[in-house]
Amino acid sequence: MTKIYDFDEGVLPEEEREKGLALLATCFKAARKIAFLTGAGVSTESGIPDFRSSTGIYNTTSEEIFSIDHFNRDPERFYSFFASFYRGIIEARPNAGHLAIAELERRCGKSVEVVTQNIDGLHGLAGSTKVHEIHGTLRSASCLTCERRYDESRFSADMLAGRVPKCDCGGVLKPDVVFYGEELPAAAFIASQRAMWETELLVVAGTSLQVYPAAGLPRECDAGVPFIVVNKTETPLDRQASLVFRGAIGDVLPRAVSQVPSVVTDDNDVR
Ligand SMILES: [Zn+2]
């Protein structure tokens, strides 16, 4: 039976929670390569709504609006709907969970790869350098006519105003996120599989991995690779995990990462 460290107030004595955090820190120290697989739960802690949860935006909006057919048919309608959602994302900042993952990479001097289902770019903004965005990113957009790619400085103002952003060629720009009816970006997915093959520790954070093909990624890890779940609610993965933390990612991860000795010796190390 997997031990579950519940971080809800009053469920476990503080000593028990500390024990779990020390075990997680030991896993971080032992692994030469670490991979994170993150989902909406990491972003919701930055105030970004979850697409799929019961309180997510699909409750109020049709999934249809995020289909590629709809986008191609009526980009004006898509962008007029999308403006407020986009504003919520670009105003969001990395939270303690994003920062802890970036800090782990910085201080442990090891390979820390982040495979994420999130499209907000917050892992990169937090400072993680190896991020594989399997559902794409809102930080760039590409022309449907000539495929030219632009970064957000080009289209941000249009998107915020609910206008259709256009390419120099006059074509419509589409955010580089995976819409319903589109394939996942092959390069990011292949890089994610490779990260799973190579890792010595997998931390699944903020997702119950019910959406394929991302849900199949943990099975790409070698047998015997420790597998840790950090999520606010129970997940179907809990029983296979080595350790389960039921709590906010921004609560659990920083406390474990702070126990990993820093190998950074330059003047930038302020800790
Ligand atoms: Zn173009």
Side-chain angles (χ1 to χ4, degrees), residues 152-189:
E152 58 189 330
S153 61
R154 167 63 180 246
F155 56 77
S156 198
D158 281 334
M159 280 200 202
L160 285 171
R163 285 190 300 266
V164 178
K166 296 275 177 71
C167 177
D168 288 347
C169 83
V172 168
L173 298 186
K174 177 191 153 290
D176 288 335
V177 299
V178 179
F179 280 51
Y180 286 96
E182 284 191 303
E183 302 278 317
L184 296 193
F189 198 73

Short mmCIF file of all heavy atoms in Angstrom, two decimals, residues 152-189:
data_model
loop_
_atom_site.label_atom_id
_atom_site.label_comp_id
_atom_site.label_asym_id
_atom_site.label_seq_id
_atom_site.Cartn_x
_atom_site.Cartn_y
_atom_site.Cartn_z
N GLU A 152 4.95 36.36 -28.96
CA GLU A 152 3.73 37.02 -28.48
C GLU A 152 3.76 38.54 -28.64
O GLU A 152 2.69 39.16 -28.66
CB GLU A 152 3.44 36.62 -27.04
CG GLU A 152 4.53 36.93 -26.06
CD GLU A 152 4.26 36.29 -24.68
OE1 GLU A 152 3.09 36.13 -24.32
OE2 GLU A 152 5.23 35.98 -23.98
N SER A 153 4.97 39.13 -28.77
CA SER A 153 4.99 40.59 -28.93
C SER A 153 4.23 41.00 -30.19
O SER A 153 3.69 42.10 -30.27
CB SER A 153 6.44 41.09 -28.99
OG SER A 153 7.10 40.54 -30.10
N ARG A 154 4.16 40.09 -31.16
CA ARG A 154 3.49 40.41 -32.41
C ARG A 154 1.95 40.37 -32.29
O ARG A 154 1.25 41.16 -32.91
CB ARG A 154 3.96 39.42 -33.50
CG ARG A 154 3.13 39.42 -34.77
CD ARG A 154 3.20 40.77 -35.50
NE ARG A 154 2.41 40.77 -36.71
CZ ARG A 154 2.93 40.87 -37.93
NH1 ARG A 154 4.22 41.00 -38.09
NH2 ARG A 154 2.13 40.86 -38.98
N PHE A 155 1.43 39.42 -31.51
CA PHE A 155 -0.02 39.20 -31.56
C PHE A 155 -0.76 39.52 -30.26
O PHE A 155 -1.98 39.53 -30.21
CB PHE A 155 -0.33 37.76 -31.98
CG PHE A 155 0.31 36.71 -31.11
CD1 PHE A 155 -0.23 36.41 -29.87
CD2 PHE A 155 1.45 36.04 -31.53
CE1 PHE A 155 0.36 35.45 -29.06
CE2 PHE A 155 2.04 35.07 -30.71
CZ PHE A 155 1.49 34.79 -29.48
N SER A 156 0.01 39.79 -29.19
CA SER A 156 -0.61 39.93 -27.88
C SER A 156 -1.69 41.03 -27.85
O SER A 156 -2.80 40.81 -27.35
CB SER A 156 0.50 40.24 -26.87
OG SER A 156 0.04 39.99 -25.59
N ALA A 157 -1.38 42.19 -28.42
CA ALA A 157 -2.33 43.30 -28.37
C ALA A 157 -3.62 42.96 -29.11
O ALA A 157 -4.73 43.24 -28.62
CB ALA A 157 -1.70 44.57 -28.96
N ASP A 158 -3.49 42.31 -30.27
CA ASP A 158 -4.68 41.90 -31.01
C ASP A 158 -5.51 40.90 -30.21
O ASP A 158 -6.73 41.01 -30.12
CB ASP A 158 -4.29 41.25 -32.36
CG ASP A 158 -3.93 42.29 -33.40
OD1 ASP A 158 -4.42 43.44 -33.29
OD2 ASP A 158 -3.15 41.97 -34.32
N MET A 159 -4.83 39.91 -29.63
CA MET A 159 -5.58 38.88 -28.89
C MET A 159 -6.30 39.48 -27.70
O MET A 159 -7.43 39.12 -27.40
CB MET A 159 -4.64 37.77 -28.44
CG MET A 159 -4.33 36.77 -29.54
SD MET A 159 -3.75 35.23 -28.82
CE MET A 159 -2.86 34.54 -30.19
N LEU A 160 -5.64 40.42 -27.01
CA LEU A 160 -6.28 41.05 -25.84
C LEU A 160 -7.50 41.85 -26.26
O LEU A 160 -8.47 41.98 -25.51
CB LEU A 160 -5.27 41.96 -25.13
CG LEU A 160 -4.22 41.23 -24.31
CD1 LEU A 160 -3.14 42.20 -23.83
CD2 LEU A 160 -4.85 40.52 -23.12
N ALA A 161 -7.45 42.40 -27.47
CA ALA A 161 -8.57 43.21 -27.94
C ALA A 161 -9.65 42.35 -28.62
O ALA A 161 -10.66 42.87 -29.07
CB ALA A 161 -8.05 44.26 -28.93
N GLY A 162 -9.40 41.05 -28.72
CA GLY A 162 -10.38 40.17 -29.36
C GLY A 162 -10.36 40.26 -30.88
O GLY A 162 -11.32 39.88 -31.54
N ARG A 163 -9.25 40.80 -31.42
CA ARG A 163 -9.12 40.90 -32.89
C ARG A 163 -8.34 39.70 -33.43
O ARG A 163 -7.51 39.14 -32.72
CB ARG A 163 -8.33 42.17 -33.27
CG ARG A 163 -9.08 43.46 -33.14
CD ARG A 163 -8.25 44.60 -33.78
NE ARG A 163 -6.94 44.78 -33.15
CZ ARG A 163 -6.71 45.64 -32.17
NH1 ARG A 163 -7.66 46.43 -31.70
NH2 ARG A 163 -5.49 45.75 -31.65
N VAL A 164 -8.55 39.39 -34.69
CA VAL A 164 -7.81 38.29 -35.32
C VAL A 164 -6.40 38.80 -35.65
O VAL A 164 -6.25 39.73 -36.45
CB VAL A 164 -8.51 37.83 -36.61
CG1 VAL A 164 -7.71 36.71 -37.28
CG2 VAL A 164 -9.93 37.37 -36.32
N PRO A 165 -5.35 38.19 -35.08
CA PRO A 165 -3.99 38.63 -35.44
C PRO A 165 -3.62 38.11 -36.83
O PRO A 165 -3.99 37.00 -37.20
CB PRO A 165 -3.11 38.00 -34.35
CG PRO A 165 -3.91 36.89 -33.77
CD PRO A 165 -5.36 37.12 -34.07
N LYS A 166 -2.90 38.95 -37.57
CA LYS A 166 -2.58 38.59 -38.96
C LYS A 166 -1.07 38.56 -39.20
O LYS A 166 -0.32 39.32 -38.59
CB LYS A 166 -3.21 39.61 -39.92
CG LYS A 166 -4.74 39.64 -39.90
CD LYS A 166 -5.33 38.59 -40.82
CE LYS A 166 -6.85 38.52 -40.78
NZ LYS A 166 -7.50 39.66 -41.40
N CYS A 167 -0.68 37.73 -40.13
CA CYS A 167 0.70 37.62 -40.61
C CYS A 167 0.99 38.76 -41.59
O CYS A 167 0.07 39.38 -42.13
CB CYS A 167 0.84 36.28 -41.32
SG CYS A 167 2.44 35.93 -42.08
N ASP A 168 2.29 39.01 -41.87
CA ASP A 168 2.65 39.98 -42.89
C ASP A 168 2.04 39.63 -44.24
O ASP A 168 1.76 40.50 -45.06
CB ASP A 168 4.18 40.04 -43.07
CG ASP A 168 4.84 40.71 -41.87
OD1 ASP A 168 4.10 41.34 -41.07
OD2 ASP A 168 6.07 40.59 -41.72
N CYS A 169 1.81 38.33 -44.47
CA CYS A 169 1.25 37.88 -45.75
C CYS A 169 -0.27 38.05 -45.78
O CYS A 169 -0.90 37.78 -46.80
CB CYS A 169 1.64 36.43 -46.03
SG CYS A 169 0.58 35.20 -45.23
N GLY A 170 -0.86 38.46 -44.65
CA GLY A 170 -2.31 38.64 -44.61
C GLY A 170 -3.05 37.43 -44.05
O GLY A 170 -4.25 37.48 -43.79
N GLY A 171 -2.32 36.32 -43.85
CA GLY A 171 -2.94 35.10 -43.32
C GLY A 171 -3.30 35.25 -41.84
O GLY A 171 -2.78 36.11 -41.14
N VAL A 172 -4.21 34.39 -41.39
CA VAL A 172 -4.64 34.39 -39.99
C VAL A 172 -3.59 33.68 -39.13
O VAL A 172 -3.08 32.63 -39.50
CB VAL A 172 -6.00 33.65 -39.86
CG1 VAL A 172 -6.36 33.37 -38.41
CG2 VAL A 172 -7.10 34.44 -40.56
N LEU A 173 -3.27 34.29 -37.96
CA LEU A 173 -2.37 33.62 -37.01
C LEU A 173 -3.20 32.77 -36.06
O LEU A 173 -4.23 33.20 -35.55
CB LEU A 173 -1.56 34.64 -36.21
CG LEU A 173 -0.61 35.55 -36.97
CD1 LEU A 173 0.20 36.39 -35.98
CD2 LEU A 173 0.33 34.76 -37.86
N LYS A 174 -2.69 31.59 -35.81
CA LYS A 174 -3.34 30.68 -34.85
C LYS A 174 -2.35 30.40 -33.72
O LYS A 174 -1.17 30.15 -33.97
CB LYS A 174 -3.71 29.37 -35.54
CG LYS A 174 -4.33 28.34 -34.63
CD LYS A 174 -4.41 26.98 -35.32
CE LYS A 174 -4.39 25.84 -34.33
NZ LYS A 174 -3.13 25.60 -33.65
N PRO A 175 -2.81 30.48 -32.46
CA PRO A 175 -1.91 30.16 -31.35
C PRO A 175 -1.31 28.76 -31.55
O PRO A 175 -1.99 27.86 -32.05
CB PRO A 175 -2.82 30.17 -30.11
CG PRO A 175 -4.05 30.92 -30.52
CD PRO A 175 -4.19 30.75 -32.00
N ASP A 176 -0.04 28.60 -31.13
CA ASP A 176 0.63 27.31 -31.31
C ASP A 176 0.22 26.30 -30.23
O ASP A 176 1.06 25.63 -29.63
CB ASP A 176 2.16 27.49 -31.29
CG ASP A 176 2.65 28.16 -32.57
OD1 ASP A 176 1.96 28.05 -33.61
OD2 ASP A 176 3.72 28.81 -32.53
N VAL A 177 -1.08 26.24 -29.96
CA VAL A 177 -1.58 25.25 -29.01
C VAL A 177 -2.36 24.20 -29.80
O VAL A 177 -2.85 24.47 -30.89
CB VAL A 177 -2.48 25.88 -27.92
CG1 VAL A 177 -1.71 26.89 -27.11
CG2 VAL A 177 -3.71 26.52 -28.53
N VAL A 178 -2.46 23.03 -29.20
CA VAL A 178 -3.15 21.93 -29.87
C VAL A 178 -4.65 22.08 -29.67
O VAL A 178 -5.15 22.10 -28.55
CB VAL A 178 -2.68 20.58 -29.29
CG1 VAL A 178 -3.40 19.43 -29.97
CG2 VAL A 178 -1.16 20.44 -29.44
N PHE A 179 -5.35 22.25 -30.77
CA PHE A 179 -6.81 22.34 -30.73
C PHE A 179 -7.39 20.93 -30.86
O PHE A 179 -6.72 20.01 -31.34
CB PHE A 179 -7.32 23.21 -31.90
CG PHE A 179 -7.21 24.69 -31.67
CD1 PHE A 179 -6.02 25.27 -31.26
CD2 PHE A 179 -8.30 25.52 -31.87
CE1 PHE A 179 -5.92 26.64 -31.05
CE2 PHE A 179 -8.22 26.90 -31.67
CZ PHE A 179 -7.03 27.46 -31.26
N TYR A 180 -8.65 20.78 -30.48
CA TYR A 180 -9.32 19.50 -30.72
C TYR A 180 -9.33 19.23 -32.21
O TYR A 180 -9.60 20.13 -33.00
CB TYR A 180 -10.75 19.53 -30.19
CG TYR A 180 -10.79 19.45 -28.69
CD1 TYR A 180 -10.89 20.60 -27.92
CD2 TYR A 180 -10.66 18.22 -28.05
CE1 TYR A 180 -10.88 20.53 -26.54
CE2 TYR A 180 -10.65 18.14 -26.67
CZ TYR A 180 -10.76 19.30 -25.92
OH TYR A 180 -10.74 19.23 -24.56
N GLY A 181 -8.97 18.01 -32.55
CA GLY A 181 -8.92 17.65 -33.97
C GLY A 181 -7.54 17.83 -34.57
O GLY A 181 -7.34 17.55 -35.74
N GLU A 182 -6.56 18.28 -33.74
CA GLU A 182 -5.18 18.43 -34.23
C GLU A 182 -4.27 17.40 -33.57
O GLU A 182 -4.53 16.96 -32.45
CB GLU A 182 -4.65 19.82 -33.87
CG GLU A 182 -5.17 20.93 -34.74
CD GLU A 182 -4.38 22.21 -34.49
OE1 GLU A 182 -4.31 22.67 -33.34
OE2 GLU A 182 -3.83 22.74 -35.46
N GLU A 183 -3.18 17.08 -34.26
CA GLU A 183 -2.17 16.19 -33.71
C GLU A 183 -1.35 16.92 -32.65
O GLU A 183 -1.20 18.13 -32.71
CB GLU A 183 -1.18 15.79 -34.82
CG GLU A 183 -1.82 15.11 -36.01
CD GLU A 183 -2.04 13.63 -35.75
OE1 GLU A 183 -1.14 12.99 -35.19
OE2 GLU A 183 -3.13 13.14 -36.09
N LEU A 184 -0.78 16.16 -31.71
CA LEU A 184 0.17 16.76 -30.78
C LEU A 184 1.43 17.13 -31.55
O LEU A 184 1.76 16.49 -32.55
CB LEU A 184 0.56 15.77 -29.68
CG LEU A 184 -0.53 15.30 -28.73
CD1 LEU A 184 0.11 14.59 -27.54
CD2 LEU A 184 -1.38 16.45 -28.23
N PRO A 185 2.17 18.16 -31.09
CA PRO A 185 3.43 18.49 -31.77
C PRO A 185 4.42 17.33 -31.63
O PRO A 185 4.77 16.95 -30.52
CB PRO A 185 3.91 19.75 -31.04
CG PRO A 185 3.09 19.89 -29.82
CD PRO A 185 1.88 19.04 -29.96
N ALA A 186 4.84 16.79 -32.76
CA ALA A 186 5.64 15.56 -32.74
C ALA A 186 6.95 15.74 -32.00
O ALA A 186 7.34 14.89 -31.19
CB ALA A 186 5.89 15.09 -34.17
N ALA A 187 7.63 16.86 -32.24
CA ALA A 187 8.95 17.03 -31.63
C ALA A 187 8.85 17.05 -30.11
O ALA A 187 9.65 16.41 -29.41
CB ALA A 187 9.59 18.32 -32.14
N ALA A 188 7.86 17.77 -29.59
CA ALA A 188 7.71 17.85 -28.13
C ALA A 188 7.33 16.49 -27.55
O ALA A 188 7.80 16.11 -26.48
CB ALA A 188 6.64 18.89 -27.76
N PHE A 189 6.52 15.75 -28.28
CA PHE A 189 6.11 14.46 -27.74
C PHE A 189 7.26 13.45 -27.75
O PHE A 189 7.45 12.71 -26.79
CB PHE A 189 4.89 13.90 -28.49
CG PHE A 189 4.20 12.83 -27.70
CD1 PHE A 189 3.45 13.16 -26.57
CD2 PHE A 189 4.35 11.49 -28.02
CE1 PHE A 189 2.85 12.17 -25.80
CE2 PHE A 189 3.75 10.50 -27.26
CZ PHE A 189 2.99 10.84 -26.14
#
